[in-house]
């Protein structure tokens, strides 16, 4: 929905105006509190964008912006709380899929926090194959066996591709990103599961930049 359509419809009830994210009442109250300190507050919406690159854990950019000046490629949605208060949310068009069904919440201990059920896109690495039969088999094992096992640690891996010479490349996210045990998890866990199921996979290489992780699970 374009910014002009959003203003005219007030959000509407149709599919085109279905919220991309959910905003809890606590988060909405905090947003309105913060926005009240801005000039022309009523003209401002929350711009929510993904600041991280493919293969990295999601990082977000939240800022107030004039929704009538949003680009026509942006998606604008009106979010209304249980008390009738509302705010418009602006999401860049190419970030919609990665933010769909995410939740923006607020707690006294964490502040504004986004819970996103989506996974980061895999990075595009030249020379790797990710669209053949072996890739389909690897992705099936990653989604069906590897990630459910890692979920207990709040982590997951994303398949990037293979080099045709026995090495599968992954990135690690969630509790595995920046984790002091990530190398052991990758080599002893993921590699073992894949190589036992698929003889064509002999090695797993981790492409994650663990220096940017927050190590949220292990100490």
């Amino acid at each position: 929905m374009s910014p002009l359509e959003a203003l005219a419809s007030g959000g509407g009830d149709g599919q085109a105006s279905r919220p991309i994210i959910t905003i809890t009442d606590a988060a909405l109250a905090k947003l309105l509190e913060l926005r009240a300190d801005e000039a022309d507050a009523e003209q401002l919406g929350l711009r929510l964008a993904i600041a991280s690159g493919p293969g990295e854990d999601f990082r977000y950019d939240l800022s107030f912006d004039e929704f009538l000046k949003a680009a026509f490629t942006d998606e604008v949605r009106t979010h209304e709380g249980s008390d009738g208060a509302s705010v418009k949310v602006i999401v860049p068009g190419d970030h919609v899929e990665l933010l769909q069904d995410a939740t923006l919440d607020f707690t006294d201990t964490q502040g504004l926090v986004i819970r996103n059920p989506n996974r980061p896109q895999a990075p595009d690495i030249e020379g790797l194959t990710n669209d053949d039969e072996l890739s389909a088999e690897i992705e099936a094992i990653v989604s069906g066996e590897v990630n459910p096992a890692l979920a207990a640690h709040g982590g997951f891996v994303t398949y990037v591709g293979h080099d045709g010479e026995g090495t599968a490349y992954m990135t690690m996210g969630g509790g595995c990103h920046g984790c002091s045990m990530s190398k052991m998890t990758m080599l002893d866990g993921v590699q073992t599961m894949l190589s036992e199921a698929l003889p064509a996979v002999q090695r797993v290489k981790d492409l994650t930049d663990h220096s940017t992780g927050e190590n949220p699970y292990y100490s």
Side-chain angles (χ1 to χ4, degrees):
M1 177 181 291
S2 74
L4 289 178
E5 290 172 328
L7 181 63
S9 68
D13 296 321
Q15 178 67 20
S17 62
R18 183 172 72 90
I20 298 166
I21 68 169
T22 297
I23 300 180
T24 66
D25 282 349
L28 180 57
K30 187 62 177 181
L31 289 173
L32 294 176
E33 175 188 331
L34 295 171
R35 192 183 67 170
D37 294 331
E38 302 287 335
D40 300 322
E42 294 301 318
Q43 303 302 315
L44 299 179
L46 175 69
R47 174 171 287 277
L48 173 58
I50 294 175
S52 52
E56 301 176 2
D57 260 6
F58 285 132
R59 298 190 309 276
Y60 305 96
D61 180 21
L62 287 81
S63 61
F64 290 119
D65 198 3
E66 294 185 45
F67 58 83
L68 287 179
K69 294 184 178 179
F72 276 89
T73 54
D74 291 340
E75 294 291 333
V76 181
R77 300 288 189 272
T78 299
H79 291 260
E80 185 172 316
S82 59
D83 61 356
S86 65
V87 67
K88 293 189 185 299
V89 175
I90 309 157
V91 176
D94 55 353
H95 294 180
V96 169
E97 184 176 352
L98 294 175
L99 287 169
Q100 188 68 59
D101 299 323
T103 298
L104 176 61
D105 195 8
F106 174 81
T107 67
D108 291 333
T109 55
Q110 294 180 293
L112 289 169
V113 59
I114 296 175
R115 301 185 180 93
N116 193 342
N118 302 295
R119 296 281 169 83
Q121 293 176 320
D124 185 13
I125 307 297
E126 185 176 357
L128 297 184
T129 300
N130 57 20
D131 59 357
D132 61 349
E133 182 177 351
L134 177 58
S135 293
E137 293 175 334
I138 293 173
E139 289 187 330
I141 294 174
V142 167
S143 63
E145 300 180 35
V146 174
N147 280 334
L150 293 178
H153 305 289
F156 60 88
V157 297
T158 299
Y159 172 65
V160 178
H162 70 86
D163 61 4
E165 298 179 355
T167 303
Y169 292 78
M170 309 276 179
T171 60
M172 307 188 78
C176 297
H177 185 199
C179 168
S180 60
M181 295 181 66
S182 61
K183 184 176 182 180
M184 181 184 302
T185 301
M186 177 65 77
L187 295 181
D188 292 348
V190 180
Q191 179 173 284
T192 298
M193 294 176 74
L194 285 174
S195 62
E196 287 182 350
L198 301 172
V201 178
Q202 303 169 20
R203 298 168 298 278
V204 170
K205 184 171 182 180
D206 181 10
L207 295 176
T208 310
D209 179 5
H210 287 284
S211 66
T212 63
E214 297 181 1
N215 193 8
Y217 185 80
Y218 294 104
S219 59

